[in-house]
Amino acid sequence: MTDAVAQRNLDNTLLLLQEAMPQGDFDLIRSLVTPDAPIRRAGFADLYALTGDAIPQSGNFVEWLEAGWKVLSAALTDQTAQARDIVASGNTVMLQFRMTALHSGTFAGAPATGRRVEWEEIGVLHFDDEGKITDLWFMCQELSLAEQIGYRTRLS
């Protein structure tokens, strides 16, 4: 793989996370992701499961976005993603990024607070030779966000 391929894949990752997903641009998302790309672990799925309002944790990424992301993005508006650490090697991109959003709707059972919330997230994306994403995996700080929107934890 060349440096140009790794750079293209890095650019497509940032385009997905910083523009397409926060803006709900499904045409752009479909141009960046293969139709059968699986999501290996969807962000916030565990939090939703704990609060009784489950969203899929895995499955087809585009289908998940159309069903699950719309729910999330309606509750967490004005989203921004800031890449902090990002490594692209061939057809794999790994990154750590900070998400911020406005908690403006019911999220995982918690009514809107009107406050800005933030969390860290890690993603691993795989690409085909044409630069389309073929596989995605995300892990986010669900506990941190849960506390920011009003859930309190107790350790016994």
Side-chain angles (χ1 to χ4, degrees):
M1 297 285 150
T2 67
D3 287 343
V5 168
Q7 185 63 51
R8 176 202 62 205
N9 295 339
L10 186 148
D11 292 343
N12 285 346
T13 297
L14 294 176
L15 189 59
L16 177 72
L17 294 174
Q18 294 178 328
E19 293 183 37
M21 289 178 65
Q23 296 172 14
D25 187 340
F26 287 94
D27 290 333
L28 181 54
I29 291 165
R30 286 185 195 95
S31 76
L32 295 169
V33 181
T34 60
D36 58 344
I39 178 110
R40 302 293 177 185
R41 181 14 180 101
F44 303 122
D46 287 337
L47 180 58
Y48 266 81
L50 284 172
T51 59
D53 192 13
I55 60 173
Q57 288 199 28
S58 59
N60 178 285
F61 180 70
V62 174
E63 290 172 6
W64 177 81
L65 277 178
E66 289 172 343
W69 186 253
K70 287 181 182 179
V71 172
L72 298 177
S73 63
L76 300 173
T77 59
D78 191 28
Q79 296 178 17
T80 61
Q82 178 187 18
R84 297 203 171 198
D85 294 304
I86 187 164
V87 176
S89 178
N91 281 333
T92 301
V93 174
M94 299 176 72
L95 75 157
Q96 182 267 325
F97 55 102
R98 175 179 292 268
M99 290 293 300
T100 63
L102 182 64
H103 182 210
S104 56
T106 299
F107 179 75
T113 63
R115 294 189 306 238
R116 265 208 88 74
V117 294
E118 60 184 40
W119 64 94
E120 300 292 327
E121 200 155 341
I122 294 172
V124 179
L125 297 86
H126 297 281
F127 292 79
D128 64 16
D129 291 335
E130 285 74 46
K132 289 189 104 176
I133 300 165
T134 61
D135 195 280
L136 306 95
W137 182 89
F138 293 103
M139 180 63 79
C140 64
Q141 287 181 308
E142 291 175 289
L143 181 58
S144 173
L145 182 62
E147 290 176 336
Q148 292 175 65
I149 63 173
Y151 288 103
R152 298 290 175 240
T153 60
R154 288 184 286 170
L155 298 176
S156 311

